Amino acid sequence: MAHKLVIVESPAKARTIGGYLGDGFVVESSIGHIRDLPNNAADTPAKIKDKPWGRLAIDVENGFEPYYVVPRDKKSHISKLKSLLKDADELYLATDEDREGEAIAWHLLDELKPKGIPVKRMVFHEITKAAIQEAAANPRELDMDLVEAQETRRILDRLYGYEVSPVLWRKVMSGLSAGRVQSVATRLVVDREKERMAFKVASYWDLEGTFDAGSKHDQRMFPAKLHTIDGTRVASGSNFGQDGLLKPKADVVHLDQRRADALVAALSDTSYDVRSVEAKPYRRSPYAPFRTTTLQQEASRKLGMSASVTMSVAQRLYENGFITYMRTDSTTLSGNAIGAARNQVAELYGSEYLPDAPRTYASKVKNAQEAHEAIRPAGDSFRTPAQTGLTGDQFRLYELIWMRTVASQMKDAVGQSVTIRLGGAATTGEDVVFSASGRVITFHGFLKAYVEGTDDNAAKDDQETRLPNLVEGDPVSAASLSANGHETKPPARYTEATLIKELEDRQIGRPSTYASIIGTILNRGYVYKKGTALVPAWIAFSVVRLLTEHFSRLIDYDFTALMETVLDDIARGEKSRVSELSEFYYGSEDREGLQPLVTGLGDIDAKELATFPVGTAEDGIDLRVGKYGPYLEGPDDGAGTRVRANVPDDLPPDELTVAKAKELLANPAGEEIDLGVHPETGLQVVAKNGRFGPYVTELLPEDAPKSAKARTGSLFKSMSLDTVTLDDAVKLISLPRVVGAGEDGEEITAQNGRYGPYLKKGTDSRSLTSEDQIFGITLDEALKIYSQPKQRGRAAAAPPLKELGNDPVSGQPVVVKAGRFGEYVTDGEYNATLRKDDSVEAITIERAAELLAERRAKGPAKKAAKKGAKKTAAKKTAKKTTAKKTAAKKTAAKKAAKKS
């Protein structure tokens, strides 16, 4: 029976839309992208493997034409779509209305090759019955300008990654990757850490007091800070530079502790009067509705969600019809949405909170991409969070979006800001002025519904500080005065929220890609998290150094932003894909291209790239980035050798001071302490400090067979390298110790493991209470332990290391446990390993919920395929499905499919 075939990206989206379209429509998903450039040599079409550009799968010699392949795991699904297409009388390509969605629609069209039936582009920005039926009734043509822009982005990123990454493999470390935007994002994080490393702390003092306005005032006590001395402002943190010195044009009084204390004493009997009262009206307008980046930033601040988790949750809300499309640069609301928001303002807050005219918001994003709405609740009338039936992360994110949308159509918050200046004379003759600031909000307006979070502990918009109603000349007394010391702070590290803001402010990348960019630099090990802060690993310093020294244009902030403008121009049909790619790859008279940069690198000193001095040349300490992690080399000892010490993976670069480096070098990993000769084997026994802690080991002779392995043993917690003896070492390397045999004849051993001492009998392990038991436990005592029933499973269950509370999504209790591969959090359904910057002691339920949400977003773990289950047919070489975009074909398609 003939039907109309509608293809969307995801199965969830297909189910929801299928219910809205009803009979006569078959809705199927493409399950994301149906083809792409080959990922490896095995997927590369045979006909291009021998080409000079074969590894790129882009014909750089003929118009930068890409060769696409259908991945093996998508071929059966393509067959299914083709089968459904045979019985269709119309094809609707209903992928997302952005460049990536337009490109997916083009790939589907090019791969399915429908014959003799109309092909329509169906677009919508919310999944409601009305919106879907409206989209089906009013389709448009495929926009080939958007396709061209997306294909240009894909090819640019391929050329950058495939040409630059091999340079990193050769000169820095194998397995690294470079990317057009990811490398710039990494540079931002590294540059911020360099600022912190170069930062010099400055100290300054000021005076703070509590003043008494007198008994006639209800609010009689209020705080104030020293503002001026003899008319000159007192120095604050903003007056100092990164070098710890006062800025050249800072006309201020710099107080030290001695002078501050002396001033407190000189003001002990001073009477004060009000010198001035300055009142200004306070007005704050509502925040614009969410776009992608502001949603990611607020979800990070308020909900503790990472960018990737935010987008994953938002995707589910969108596909199930709760919110509009979540990848958007727009802050615009449709007329129906404005009406829905205004109705809820009047209903929930009253007509006094509703402005006379609807509010409109202009986008602040340069080259805002495609015509979407802001992110808002879906539909012509909004459901309150309580009406949705949502739970967990979906409820929290929907609530955030709903509150922001409703607040955007409310009145301004108004009030009054007041600054009071108090003056007095010290016994030293100095004239001092204290300043007190306050704010009173007389009408909260939109703040009743929503208050935006902050990144730098700044005062929130709804914060109030009330001051007494004073007038000029009123007497005031000091209830208390104190001198307080302060130190300047280095620039704050980026968080996900602030890095996203920085990328957007610099117009680097697209908002829809920020979550994946941050995920990439975290997963590649260039950056790790310490709390919410993004800390660069030392390997990132080496990578950024190579790129800035040899590919400076490609990692330049302005150049990367300019490339986004070029892509926008292509999307509008104002520039040519081929000419822009040619200039990027081959260069021009004004710009050096990628290809000559890569081929003309010359000699690069890999050791120099990986070496970073700690302190001054006189200190003689270098940090080196090695294959197994960062390590220190101390000063030459005069005999041509330098002491080495590993650097802990979780030590931030700005904390590697000269003092810390000397501390690590004083107890270096790998340094051997000779304990003596083993009384039985005659081998030398030494103690070392390894990457995983101190241990003892035998030294095998040089002629020992390759199969021989030295016996080793970790030191007990009660031991140290300073106190361990040869007798201790002999015992440790003798482990596991045979305690005896059970009634069934099976051997019982006592040994030490990563999580403490235990007994082992076959596959049955039982924990011991102390390390001393390993050498002291008797067979009878061991048998008594084994006579006790096991708690559950194949091994006795260890108690949780920490209980955190209930997960906001599953509602189940979350605990921290010790596993085979390290500590992890679990809610009984999903497990999430702690990151290297997490600790059992410091982890909170909020952080655990974030880890579990990230794990949950990946879906259930895939089971490993059984050996021998491979089908015989798979042995045959599968013919690769390829597609070459020819210039003639593209031009013809562009004319036919151009937006009317």
Side-chain angles (χ1 to χ4, degrees):
M1 180 178 175
H3 56 254
K4 295 177 174 63
L5 177 61
V6 180
I7 303 178
V8 297
E9 295 102 318
S10 75
K13 197 173 171 182
R15 287 192 296 271
T16 307
I17 292 174
Y20 293 147
L21 290 176
D23 296 337
F25 288 86
V26 172
V27 185
E28 184 57 69
S29 74
S30 65
I31 317 179
H33 292 265
I34 54 103
R35 69 181 187 185
D36 196 2
L37 297 169
N39 280 329
N40 49 53
D43 291 336
T44 303
K47 64 181 179 181
I48 67 168
K49 280 189 175 180
D50 59 346
K51 303 290 185 183
W53 42 265
R55 66 184 180 85
L56 300 172
I58 297 168
D59 189 349
V60 296
E61 299 170 354
N62 293 288
F64 294 88
E65 294 299 330
Y67 282 75
Y68 292 106
V69 298
V70 176
R72 293 183 179 89
D73 61 351
K74 286 291 181 74
K75 289 181 179 178
S76 61
H77 194 67
I78 287 292
S79 299
K80 178 182 178 181
L81 292 176
K82 287 181 176 178
S83 177
L84 291 171
L85 188 60
K86 288 179 182 178
D87 298 324
D89 54 14
E90 285 185 76
L91 173 61
Y92 288 80
L93 301 172
T95 49
D96 292 336
E97 191 188 10
D98 57 13
R99 294 175 193 172
E100 187 176 10
E102 208 74 15
I104 293 174
W106 179 84
H107 283 293
L108 283 164
L109 179 63
D110 198 58
E111 193 63 38
L112 297 177
K113 296 178 173 58
K115 296 180 180 177
I117 63 170
V119 178
K120 300 176 180 179
R121 180 77 171 99
M122 177 177 161
V123 294
F124 43 86
H125 55 264
E126 64 179 355
I127 302 178
T128 60
K129 187 172 184 177
I132 296 302
Q133 292 179 345
E134 172 72 13
N138 297 281
R140 63 166 171 79
E141 298 296 322
L142 198 65
D143 189 332
M144 290 306 297
D145 286 334
L146 296 185
V147 175
E148 286 277 84
Q150 182 62 26
E151 295 300 280
T152 305
R153 177 186 295 279
R154 182 70 186 94
I155 294 168
L156 275 173
D157 291 344
R158 177 73 160 208
L159 294 173
Y160 191 118
Y162 272 52
E163 293 287 23
V164 179
S165 294
V167 180
L168 299 182
W169 303 342
R170 295 193 301 269
K171 298 301 180 181
V172 182
M173 190 182 298
S174 62
L176 299 177
S177 73
R180 187 176 57 86
V181 180
Q182 83 173 50
S183 295
V184 175
T186 302
R187 180 188 170 188
L188 280 169
V189 180
V190 169
D191 284 354
R192 178 57 57 86
E193 194 72 10
K194 286 180 179 178
E195 291 176 19
R196 291 174 62 88
M197 294 165 75
F199 183 81
K200 288 183 171 57
V201 175
S203 64
Y204 61 96
W205 286 70
D206 62 15
L207 270 61
E208 295 180 9
T210 300
F211 290 84
D212 187 352
S215 58
K216 65 180 181 179
H217 296 278
D218 293 334
Q219 180 77 32
R220 61 185 291 180
M221 296 295 184
F222 63 99
K225 285 188 176 183
L226 182 62
H227 181 61
T228 62
I229 300 175
D230 289 334
T232 303
R233 287 179 64 99
V234 175
S236 62
S238 61
N239 298 124
F240 294 88
Q242 299 272 50
D243 56 3
L245 302 175
L246 281 171
K247 294 177 181 178
K249 295 182 179 181
D251 182 18
V252 293
V253 178
H254 182 191
L255 295 182
D256 57 17
Q257 183 177 6
R258 182 189 59 78
R259 188 173 178 189
D261 287 339
L263 191 55
V264 170
L267 293 170
S268 59
D269 297 321
T270 299
S271 297
Y272 301 86
D273 59 82
V274 176
R275 298 275 178 91
S276 66
V277 178
E278 184 180 10
K280 293 180 179 179
Y282 166 80
R283 179 174 291 272
R284 184 71 171 86
S285 297
Y287 324 104
F290 281 131
R291 59 182 190 273
T292 302
T293 53
T294 52
L295 176 63
Q296 291 170 344
Q297 291 168 47
E298 276 293 86
S300 174
R301 298 181 190 116
K302 287 181 173 288
L303 307 181
M305 291 183 181
S306 66
S308 60
V309 170
T310 299
M311 296 310 290
S312 175
V313 175
Q315 179 87 32
R316 295 199 294 274
L317 289 172
Y318 166 65
E319 290 177 347
N320 289 294
F322 289 102
I323 64 170
T324 53
Y325 191 53
M326 65 286 161
R327 284 187 277 273
T328 175
D329 298 327
S330 177
T331 53
T332 301
L333 294 176
S334 68
N336 289 342
I338 289 174
R342 286 175 64 84
N343 287 341
Q344 286 205 324
V345 172
E347 178 185 343
L348 298 175
Y349 298 98
S351 58
E352 66 270 23
Y353 285 86
L354 192 65
D356 294 336
R359 291 185 180 272
T360 57
Y361 297 88
S363 176
K364 295 181 179 179
V365 180
K366 182 183 176 184
N367 299 319
Q369 182 178 289
E370 286 76 70
H372 295 144
E373 269 195 85
I375 304 169
R376 62 165 176 86
D380 293 340
S381 62
F382 297 162
R383 287 170 282 188
T384 65
Q387 292 170 337
T388 62
L390 294 168
T391 59
D393 284 350
Q394 290 191 53
F395 176 88
R396 295 195 300 151
L397 194 63
Y398 178 86
E399 183 181 44
L400 195 71
I401 294 166
W402 175 82
M403 289 191 299
R404 178 90 166 211
T405 306
V406 171
S408 73
Q409 292 301 314
M410 296 175 72
K411 283 185 176 179
D412 291 352
V414 294
Q416 192 175 56
S417 297
V418 179
T419 301
I420 299 176
R421 298 283 164 79
L422 314 172
T427 56
T428 55
E430 295 167 303
D431 182 74
V432 298
V433 173
F434 285 80
S435 179
S437 297
R439 181 171 69 193
V440 177
I441 299 174
T442 56
F443 178 73
H444 279 75
F446 76 95
L447 294 175
K448 278 282 188 183
Y450 189 83
V451 182
E452 190 171 64
T454 60
D455 295 311
D456 53 4
N457 297 318
K460 291 187 176 182
D461 287 329
D462 63 342
Q463 184 172 318
E464 294 185 89
T465 304
R466 293 183 177 272
L467 295 176
N469 188 20
L470 294 169
V471 296
E472 190 173 325
D474 280 354
V476 174
S477 62
S480 65
L481 277 181
S482 62
N484 296 305
H486 307 276
E487 288 188 340
T488 55
K489 294 181 180 179
R493 290 191 180 98
Y494 288 110
T495 62
E496 287 200 19
T498 56
L499 182 59
I500 286 170
K501 186 176 186 303
E502 185 73 16
L503 289 168
E504 185 177 40
D505 288 347
R506 290 177 179 267
Q507 298 164 18
I508 294 170
R510 298 304 310 183
S512 59
T513 65
Y514 291 155
S516 63
I517 289 166
I518 291 174
T520 297
I521 64 177
L522 285 168
N523 294 335
R524 292 285 182 183
Y526 293 144
V527 172
Y528 64 92
K529 281 188 175 183
K530 187 173 185 180
T532 59
L534 298 174
V535 184
W538 281 105
I539 189 68
F541 281 73
S542 290
V543 169
V544 169
R545 175 182 280 180
L546 184 147
L547 294 176
T548 51
E549 290 180 1
H550 300 281
F551 298 93
S552 57
R553 185 170 72 94
L554 299 184
I555 201 170
D556 179 73
Y557 297 133
D558 293 336
F559 171 76
T560 309
L562 177 64
M563 291 307 300
E564 295 301 330
T565 301
V566 168
L567 293 171
D568 292 326
D569 292 340
I570 293 172
R572 291 191 293 267
E574 297 171 2
K575 285 192 176 179
S576 160
R577 173 177 71 90
V578 174
S579 62
E580 294 301 327
L581 287 172
S582 179
E583 183 174 358
F584 172 77
Y585 192 67
Y586 290 114
S588 63
E589 292 182 3
D590 301 325
R591 295 178 180 171
E592 189 172 11
L594 173 62
Q595 194 263 353
L597 272 174
V598 173
T599 55
L601 279 175
D603 292 332
I604 297 178
D605 188 335
K607 185 176 181 180
E608 182 181 343
L609 284 175
T611 303
F612 300 89
V614 179
T616 63
E618 288 74 20
D619 295 309
I621 303 173
D622 291 319
L623 179 133
R624 299 195 188 279
V625 181
K627 183 178 180 181
Y628 301 106
Y631 63 93
L632 292 168
E633 280 190 344
D636 192 314
D637 63 358
T641 59
R642 302 178 70 180
V643 175
R644 290 186 175 185
N646 290 322
V647 175
D649 291 333
D650 58 353
L651 181 68
D654 76 328
E655 294 181 20
L656 185 61
T657 60
V658 173
K660 183 64 177 178
K662 289 179 178 179
E663 178 188 327
L664 293 170
L665 288 166
N667 189 22
E671 185 180 34
E672 298 176 354
I673 299 174
D674 190 352
L675 298 178
V677 176
H678 196 289
E680 297 175 6
T681 65
L683 296 176
Q684 199 72 23
V685 179
V686 297
K688 292 184 177 183
N689 188 21
R691 291 189 68 81
F692 304 105
Y695 67 99
V696 292
T697 185
E698 295 175 316
L699 297 181
L700 297 176
E702 293 183 3
D703 58 352
K706 291 183 178 180
S707 59
K709 292 185 178 181
R711 294 186 297 169
T712 63
S714 296
L715 267 60
F716 285 177
K717 293 179 180 178
S718 58
M719 300 176 180
S720 69
L721 290 174
D722 296 330
T723 60
V724 67
T725 65
L726 177 62
D727 290 341
D728 294 329
V730 169
K731 287 183 178 181
L732 291 172
I733 62 178
S734 70
L735 295 177
R737 167 182 167 250
V738 177
V739 179
E743 295 177 357
D744 57 0
E746 193 160 15
E747 192 174 75
I748 300 174
T749 59
Q751 45 197 300
N752 204 15
R754 183 177 180 185
Y755 302 109
Y758 64 99
L759 293 172
K760 188 171 184 180
K761 180 172 176 277
T763 58
D764 189 355
S765 299
R766 304 293 177 96
S767 296
L768 295 174
T769 57
S770 71
E771 292 171 326
D772 293 337
Q773 285 184 289
I774 294 176
F775 297 114
I777 193 169
T778 65
L779 178 59
D780 288 341
E781 291 169 335
L783 292 174
K784 185 176 180 180
I785 290 173
Y786 274 102
S787 68
Q788 302 297 318
K790 296 177 73 171
Q791 297 299 312
R792 66 178 187 183
R794 292 178 299 170
L801 301 177
K802 190 175 184 181
E803 296 179 357
L804 299 174
N806 291 340
D807 181 72
V809 175
S810 66
Q812 299 301 311
V814 178
V815 297
V816 185
K817 289 189 172 185
R820 180 180 177 188
F821 302 107
E823 292 83 6
Y824 65 97
V825 292
T826 179
D827 66 349
E829 182 180 1
Y830 285 92
N831 301 339
T833 303
L834 300 192
R835 307 290 166 78
K836 64 183 179 183
D837 53 306
D838 296 317
S839 68
V840 175
E841 295 76 20
I843 194 164
T844 62
I845 182 60
E846 290 78 16
R847 174 59 176 158
E850 179 184 346
L851 293 171
L852 288 169
E854 290 180 1
R855 176 63 188 85
R856 202 177 285 117
K858 296 177 182 178
K862 294 181 179 179
K863 293 183 178 179
K866 293 181 180 179
K867 292 183 179 179
K870 196 173 182 181
K871 294 182 180 178
T872 307
K875 295 180 181 178
K876 297 179 181 180
T877 304
K879 186 177 180 182
K880 292 178 175 59
T881 306
T882 66
K884 184 185 180 201
K885 289 173 28 180
T886 64
K889 176 180 177 182
K890 192 71 175 266
T891 304
K894 194 167 183 176
K895 289 178 180 178
K898 187 87 173 178
K899 204 174 180 181
S900 57

